[in-house]
């Protein structure tokens, strides 16, 4: 039986959905590595379960593309929900406003960036504190400087 154009389109769409789901899985695993321990195990477990579903969808993409596409999209949606739940502070961010087509991995990537932000801020503030402690003069140095300025002013008045 010859393959029709619609069959080819359906298989292409299924393969595209599987690729998007694989990308979302990869981003979710990256997110899990940057999370603290209790959330890390939950996100890793969810990513592993969805990876198995994505593999099944990948195998089914040739024989039943519509089912494979639906399964892949469902997996990427689950991964996105897990990322939103554990990625931000108490899951306050929402993924409802994000466009649905091919952006689930981007949403997960944004969650990972939000998770990394506090640790980056801690490093920067620590560096600023160290720099300030090095460059800020001590009370003794400040007293010496004001004494010099007073002497200069007194000399300037005498002339």
């Amino acid at each position: 039986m010859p393959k029709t154009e619609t069959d080819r389109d359906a298989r292409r769409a299924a393969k595209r959905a599987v690729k998007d789901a694989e990308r979302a899985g990869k981003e979710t695993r990256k997110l899990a590595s940057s999370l603290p321990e209790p959330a890390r195990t939950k996100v890793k477990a969810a990513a592993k379960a969805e990876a198995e579903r994505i593999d099944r969808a990948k195998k089914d993409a040739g024989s039943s593309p519509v089912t494979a596409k639906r399964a892949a999209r469902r997996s990427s949606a689950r991964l996105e929900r897990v990322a939103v739940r554990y990625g931000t502070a108490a899951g306050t961010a929402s993924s409802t406003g994000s466009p649905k087509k091919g952006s689930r991995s981007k949403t997960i990537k944004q969650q990972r960036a939000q998770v990394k932000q506090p640790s980056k801020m801690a490093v920067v503030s620590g560096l600023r504190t160290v720099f300030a402690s090095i460059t800020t003069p001590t009370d003794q140095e400040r007293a010496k400087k004001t004494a010099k300025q007073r002497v200069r002013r007194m000399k300037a008045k005498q002339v």
Side-chain angles (χ1 to χ4, degrees):
M1 183 175 163
K3 294 177 180 170
T4 63
E5 193 66 32
T6 55
D7 291 340
R8 286 190 188 110
D9 290 343
R11 282 195 306 277
R12 283 186 195 121
K15 287 178 182 177
R16 202 173 301 119
V18 167
K19 283 288 181 191
D20 289 340
E22 286 174 340
R23 231 176 275 126
K26 184 178 179 182
E27 287 297 330
T28 305
R29 286 190 301 277
K30 286 182 186 178
L31 171 69
S33 67
S34 60
L35 287 173
E37 189 46 49
R40 178 183 299 171
T41 54
K42 291 177 182 178
V43 172
K44 277 186 178 180
K48 187 176 180 184
E50 293 306 322
E52 292 171 4
R53 289 186 182 116
I54 292 168
D55 286 342
R56 263 187 264 130
K58 192 174 189 178
K59 289 174 186 171
D60 290 345
S63 58
S64 57
V66 175
T67 309
K69 180 180 172 183
R70 187 182 311 123
R73 284 190 174 171
R74 193 174 286 165
S75 290
S76 59
R78 284 187 191 121
L79 289 170
E80 184 185 27
R81 268 187 256 127
V82 165
V84 168
R85 184 179 304 131
Y86 294 107
T88 57
T92 53
S94 174
S95 62
T96 55
S98 64
K100 297 298 176 212
K101 187 175 181 181
S103 68
R104 301 216 187 264
S105 60
K106 289 180 185 175
T107 305
I108 298 168
K109 196 173 189 177
Q110 289 170 351
Q111 295 296 323
R112 192 178 53 156
Q114 286 181 1
V115 166
K116 286 184 175 180
Q117 195 62 32
S119 61
K120 285 182 184 178
M121 287 171 59
V123 169
V124 169
S125 72
L127 287 172
R128 284 183 180 157
T129 304
V130 168
F131 183 72
S133 67
I134 291 171
T135 57
T136 304
T138 61
D139 291 339
Q140 225 176 9
E141 291 170 341
R142 194 174 289 133
K144 201 184 249 187
K145 186 175 180 180
T146 53
K148 280 184 180 180
Q149 288 173 343
R150 286 182 186 147
V151 169
R152 283 191 200 124
R153 284 188 206 127
M154 287 173 50
K155 285 184 180 177
K157 285 183 180 177
Q158 290 177 357
V159 174

